[in-house]
Amino acid sequence: MGRRIFELMDDMNNWGLKKKVLAESDIFTITRENEMYAHVNVNYLKMDKLPEFKNGWQPVLDVLKSGNFFATSGEVLLPTFKVNGAEAGSTIKVKDPAKAMVDFSVKWTYPLNFAELITGDGKNVYHQRINLNNTTAFGDKSFHVPVNLKGKKWIRPEVWDAAVNGAFTQTVWLD
């Protein structure tokens, strides 16, 4: 999870391409000395139940295609993100864009640094930063944040801790 992929994600969002970004890890060797877990980013899929292996991968693919998941380095979890009640991956029509509401919840290990609500208007990218450096280790909190989405085409969140571990969801598209 680095600046380059987030900038690319924002560019693709501004171009109107409804692409998804999966967390992944490049592991070039596997030896007894590797500390793989510490370097593997994870995608948490929002599913009603764990699919059975014998029934195939389709439920997993459906969630990935819908974009209703978050990605994390593991220390920061972003279990909920909704814009006027719509979850990540959705396309919504906002009745009053100047008075939209974003709800999200975060669980963390290390103290948080900040959250950002990133939006775009098809040309520019905007960052609404929420300072969270007053948090302590091992916490959880829900946020209810008013946002002005007038003229915006999309929105997505990121949350980062003091050790630069983070989490993000996929985009909510604004019709």
Side-chain angles (χ1 to χ4, degrees):
M1 290 193 301
R3 205 52 2 214
R4 290 186 308 173
I5 190 57
F6 294 127
E7 289 173 0
L8 176 60
M9 187 178 189
D10 296 341
D11 285 346
M12 289 188 300
N13 287 341
N14 268 341
W15 300 333
L17 303 174
K18 295 183 177 182
K19 302 288 186 179
K20 314 302 185 287
V21 172
L22 297 173
E24 60 85 32
S25 180
D26 291 330
I27 298 174
F28 300 103
T29 62
I30 298 177
T31 68
R32 290 178 186 261
E33 291 79 33
N34 283 100
E35 188 180 343
M36 287 190 299
Y37 181 77
H39 305 288
V40 176
N41 297 314
V42 178
N43 298 291
Y44 280 81
L45 310 183
K46 295 189 181 177
M47 305 178 81
D48 292 332
K49 65 179 186 171
L50 187 63
E52 294 184 39
F53 178 78
K54 67 181 180 181
N55 295 330
W57 285 93
Q58 197 58 51
V60 171
L61 298 174
D62 290 344
V63 172
L64 290 173
K65 185 176 179 182
S66 77
N68 195 8
F69 64 95
F70 71 93
T72 179
S73 57
E75 298 82 2
V76 178
L77 303 179
L78 190 49
T80 61
F81 172 68
K82 295 181 180 181
V83 180
N84 286 8
E87 294 189 297
S90 300
T91 300
I92 62 169
K93 185 156 187 78
V94 180
K95 289 183 183 180
D96 188 352
K99 296 181 180 177
M101 292 305 298
V102 169
D103 294 289
F104 63 98
S105 62
V106 184
K107 296 180 179 186
W108 63 87
T109 303
Y110 303 115
L112 295 178
N113 190 6
F114 64 91
E116 277 192 322
L117 299 174
I118 299 100
T119 59
D121 60 11
K123 185 175 182 180
N124 297 302
V125 176
Y126 305 91
H127 296 259
Q128 180 178 336
R129 186 173 280 219
I130 302 163
N131 184 348
L132 300 174
N133 64 11
N134 60 345
T135 59
T136 58
F138 299 103
D140 62 88
K141 185 174 179 176
S142 293
F143 297 85
H144 186 69
V145 182
V147 293
N148 183 349
L149 296 176
K150 189 173 183 179
K152 303 299 191 297
K153 306 238 182 240
W154 56 269
I155 181 170
R156 67 176 189 81
E158 295 177 15
V159 181
W160 296 93
D161 72 14
V164 197
N165 302 301
F168 69 97
T169 75
Q170 303 306 300
T171 302
V172 170
W173 298 92
L174 309 171
D175 213 1

